[in-house]
Amino acid sequence: MLAGKRILLIIGGGIAAYKTLSLIRLLKGAGVAVTPVLTRAGAEFVTPLSVAALAGEKVHTDLFDLTDEAEMGHIQLSRVADLVVVAPATADLLAKMAGGRADDLASTLLLATDTPVLVAPAMNVRMWEHPATQRNLAQVLADGVQVIGPDAGEMACGEFGPGRMAEPEAIFAAVVAALSDGPLKGRHVLVTSGPTHEPIDPVRYIANRSSGAQGTAIAAALRDLGADVTFVTGPASVPPPAGVRVVRVETARDMLAAVEAALPADAAVMAAAVADWRVANAGVQKMKKDSSGKAPALEFAENPDILATLSKGANRPALVVGFAAETENVVNHATAKRLRKGCDWIVANDVSPETGIMGGAENAIVLISPEGAEHWPRMGKDMVAKKLADRISEAIKNR
Ligand code: CTP
């Protein structure tokens, strides 16, 4: 979906410029061509050579480079891309954008471009909070520029607060959303994935078996159709897909809070293997072996049902899809589960050990909807994800 797209990437002068190198790798990995522009200050933090090597293209640096102008004028350069990304966007670059200044190549391109612009600000917290920067920010937002970040946290200068550039994965996700032209463009879809971990004490936990592979594949397939995906994941063994907003959680209660915080959404796919119970008497300190040889007794409390809470809540997405992991009577159990939990569809699968589905690459599912049960042939989890994403896209088209 991203292959064939081109980004004009302006790298400003901030310590966060080193993170922009990872962004280039993510973009290139997704088949996006990158035309890099390095400001004079940017070149103090990363070298033109490393940028050129990663982008696989010439780095543009100077407005008055005669060779550059002969090959491709700066006006033409400002139009080559589908999206202009400024990362890091320094206070100075934001000020130039807000004021319409054009005194170097980067600011001239930003003034001359007719393509959408996404900026990732990065600066010291005091500079970020200064009324002048906030005025400039309000101006660029009013001009239609998209802004991602900054994040809060410890800064390279030792101070703490908002000002850190958004992580490359988050900028990449924003780029994907901005470039996407699939049928789910502009739609927000929430996906839960992976197991939850319920602590017994600070070093031990109970969990469901789940690699997170199916949920990850679904999030990627929805992203490929252009959806803006929030991916709420427990500690899974497969990494989350690039180009989605990742929210990492540990317990079922954390997952419910993250799901509620991500609303509203047009659709939700709850693929997580949530632990039904947590340990009610979890130890604050590590439980020690008792000299009497007596094993500790764990007491359990029921976890909230995230799918049921979402399906019956006031902020319910138009389409809610649950999963059912069963080991027998798949269709009957899953049909009852759909009604009990109040979701629209249930993706049911037989997870008996002999099927090899849990942790495996394939899945054989039955889609339970108000229309009945639809048996899908056994196929790769990626194919299941694509088919499901297409069905979701079709179902919410007119909602
Ligand atoms: N689920 C949830 N919150 C829970 C338990 C499950 O949101 N506390 C969701 C899962 O993400 C999945 C669906 O409910 O989408 C069904 O999960 P499953 O484990 O099959 O069902 P259970 O509710 O655990 O029912 P049972 O144990 O009776 O099979």
Coordinates of all heavy atoms in Angstrom, one line a residue, residues 192 208 252 270-277 303-308 321-326 337 340-341 346, ligand 1:
T192 N -7.2 -5.5 20.3 CA -6.4 -6.0 21.4 C -5.7 -7.3 21.1 O -6.2 -8.0 20.2 CB -7.3 -6.3 22.7 OG1 -8.2 -7.4 22.4 CG2 -8.1 -5.0 23.1
N208 N -2.4 -16.6 30.1 CA -2.9 -17.5 29.1 C -1.8 -17.7 28.1 O -1.0 -16.9 27.9 CB -4.1 -16.8 28.3 CG -5.4 -16.9 29.1 OD1 -5.4 -17.3 30.3 ND2 -6.5 -16.6 28.5
A252 N -5.3 -7.5 32.8 CA -6.6 -7.3 32.2 C -7.2 -6.0 32.6 O -7.8 -5.3 31.8 CB -7.6 -8.5 32.7
M270 N -11.3 -7.7 19.4 CA -10.7 -8.1 20.7 C -10.1 -9.5 20.6 O -10.7 -10.5 20.9 CB -11.8 -8.1 21.8 CG -12.7 -6.9 21.7 SD -11.8 -5.3 21.9 CE -11.7 -5.2 23.6
A271 N -8.8 -9.5 20.1 CA -8.2 -10.8 19.9 C -7.3 -11.2 21.1 O -6.7 -12.3 21.0 CB -7.3 -10.7 18.6
A272 N -7.3 -10.4 22.1 CA -6.4 -10.7 23.2 C -6.9 -12.0 24.0 O -8.1 -12.2 24.1 CB -6.4 -9.6 24.2
A273 N -6.0 -12.7 24.5 CA -6.3 -13.9 25.4 C -6.2 -13.4 26.8 O -5.2 -13.5 27.5 CB -5.3 -15.0 25.1
V274 N -7.4 -12.8 27.3 CA -7.4 -12.1 28.6 C -7.5 -13.2 29.7 O -8.3 -14.1 29.6 CB -8.6 -11.2 28.6 CG1 -8.6 -10.4 29.9 CG2 -8.6 -10.2 27.5
A275 N -6.7 -13.1 30.7 CA -6.9 -14.0 31.9 C -8.2 -13.7 32.6 O -8.5 -12.6 32.9 CB -5.7 -13.8 32.8
D276 N -9.0 -14.7 32.7 CA -10.3 -14.5 33.3 C -10.2 -14.2 34.8 O -11.1 -13.6 35.4 CB -11.1 -15.8 33.2 CG -11.6 -16.0 31.7 OD1 -11.8 -15.0 31.1 OD2 -11.6 -17.2 31.3
W277 N -9.1 -14.7 35.5 CA -9.0 -14.4 36.9 C -7.6 -13.7 37.2 O -6.7 -14.0 36.5 CB -9.0 -15.7 37.7 CG -10.3 -16.4 37.5 CD1 -11.5 -16.1 38.0 CD2 -10.5 -17.6 36.6 NE1 -12.5 -17.0 37.6 CE2 -11.9 -17.9 36.7 CE3 -9.7 -18.3 35.8 CZ2 -12.5 -19.0 36.0 CZ3 -10.3 -19.4 35.1 CH2 -11.6 -19.7 35.2
N303 N -11.6 -11.2 36.7 CA -11.2 -9.9 36.0 C -12.5 -9.4 35.3 O -13.4 -10.1 35.0 CB -10.1 -10.3 34.9 CG -8.8 -10.1 35.5 OD1 -8.6 -9.3 36.4 ND2 -7.8 -10.8 35.0
P304 N -12.4 -8.1 35.0 CA -13.5 -7.5 34.2 C -13.5 -8.2 32.8 O -12.5 -8.5 32.3 CB -13.2 -6.0 34.1 CG -11.7 -5.9 34.3 CD -11.4 -7.1 35.3
D305 N -14.7 -8.3 32.2 CA -14.8 -8.8 30.8 C -14.7 -7.6 29.9 O -15.6 -6.8 29.8 CB -16.0 -9.6 30.6 CG -16.0 -10.4 29.3 OD1 -15.7 -9.7 28.3 OD2 -16.3 -11.6 29.3
I306 N -13.6 -7.5 29.2 CA -13.3 -6.3 28.4 C -14.3 -6.2 27.2 O -14.9 -5.2 26.9 CB -11.9 -6.2 27.9 CG1 -10.9 -6.3 29.1 CG2 -11.6 -5.0 27.1 CD1 -9.5 -6.6 28.8
L307 N -14.5 -7.4 26.6 CA -15.3 -7.4 25.4 C -16.8 -7.1 25.8 O -17.4 -6.3 25.1 CB -15.2 -8.8 24.8 CG -16.1 -9.1 23.6 CD1 -15.9 -8.2 22.4 CD2 -16.0 -10.6 23.2
A308 N -17.3 -7.7 26.9 CA -18.7 -7.4 27.3 C -18.8 -6.0 27.7 O -19.8 -5.3 27.4 CB -19.0 -8.4 28.4
V321 N -16.0 -7.0 17.4 CA -15.7 -8.4 17.0 C -14.9 -9.1 18.2 O -13.9 -8.5 18.6 CB -14.8 -8.5 15.7 CG1 -14.5 -9.9 15.3 CG2 -15.4 -7.7 14.6
G322 N -15.5 -10.2 18.7 CA -14.8 -10.9 19.7 C -14.2 -12.2 19.2 O -14.4 -12.6 18.0
F323 N -13.4 -12.8 20.0 CA -12.8 -14.1 19.6 C -13.3 -15.2 20.6 O -13.7 -14.8 21.7 CB -11.3 -14.1 19.7 CG -10.6 -13.6 18.4 CD1 -10.9 -12.4 17.9 CD2 -9.9 -14.5 17.7 CE1 -10.3 -12.0 16.7 CE2 -9.3 -14.1 16.4 CZ -9.5 -12.8 16.0
A324 N -13.3 -16.4 20.2 CA -13.6 -17.5 21.1 C -12.6 -18.6 20.9 O -12.5 -19.1 19.8 CB -15.0 -18.0 20.9
A325 N -11.9 -18.8 22.0 CA -10.9 -20.0 21.9 C -11.6 -21.1 22.6 O -11.9 -21.1 23.8 CB -9.7 -19.6 22.7
E326 N -11.9 -22.2 21.8 CA -12.7 -23.3 22.4 C -11.9 -24.6 22.2 O -11.0 -24.7 21.3 CB -14.1 -23.4 21.7 CG -14.9 -22.2 21.7 CD -15.4 -21.7 23.1 OE1 -15.3 -22.6 24.0 OE2 -15.8 -20.6 23.3
K337 N -21.6 -17.5 23.3 CA -20.7 -16.4 23.8 C -21.0 -15.1 23.1 O -21.0 -14.0 23.7 CB -19.2 -16.8 23.4 CG -18.2 -16.2 24.3 CD -16.8 -16.8 24.1 CE -16.5 -18.0 25.0 NZ -15.2 -18.6 24.9
R340 N -24.0 -13.7 24.8 CA -23.7 -13.4 26.2 C -22.9 -12.1 26.3 O -23.1 -11.2 27.2 CB -22.9 -14.5 26.9 CG -22.9 -14.5 28.4 CD -22.4 -15.8 28.9 NE -21.0 -16.1 28.6 CZ -20.6 -17.2 27.9 NH1 -21.4 -18.1 27.5 NH2 -19.3 -17.4 27.7
K341 N -21.9 -11.9 25.4 CA -21.0 -10.8 25.5 C -21.6 -9.5 24.8 O -21.1 -8.4 25.0 CB -19.7 -11.1 25.0 CG -19.0 -12.3 25.7 CD -17.6 -12.2 25.9 CE -17.0 -13.4 26.6 NZ -15.7 -13.1 27.1
I346 N -18.3 -13.1 16.3 CA -17.3 -13.9 17.1 C -16.4 -14.7 16.1 O -17.0 -15.4 15.2 CB -17.9 -14.9 18.1 CG1 -18.5 -14.2 19.3 CG2 -16.9 -16.0 18.5 CD1 -17.5 -14.0 20.5
Ligands
CTP1 N1 -12.3 -11.4 26.8 C1 -12.3 -10.2 27.4 N2 -12.2 -10.1 28.8 C2 -12.0 -11.2 29.6 C3 -12.0 -12.5 29.0 C4 -12.2 -12.6 27.6 O1 -12.5 -9.2 26.7 N3 -11.9 -11.0 30.9 C5 -12.6 -11.5 25.4 C6 -11.4 -12.1 24.6 O2 -10.6 -11.0 24.1 C7 -12.2 -12.7 23.4 C8 -13.5 -13.1 24.0 O3 -13.6 -12.3 25.2 O4 -12.5 -11.7 22.4 C9 -13.6 -14.6 24.4 O5 -12.5 -15.0 25.1 P1 -12.5 -16.5 25.6 O6 -11.3 -16.7 26.5 O7 -12.8 -17.5 24.5 O8 -13.9 -16.5 26.5 P2 -14.1 -16.4 28.0 O9 -14.9 -15.2 28.2 O10 -12.9 -16.6 28.7 O11 -15.2 -17.6 28.2 P3 -14.9 -19.1 28.6 O12 -13.8 -19.1 29.6 O13 -16.2 -19.5 29.2 O14 -14.6 -19.9 27.4

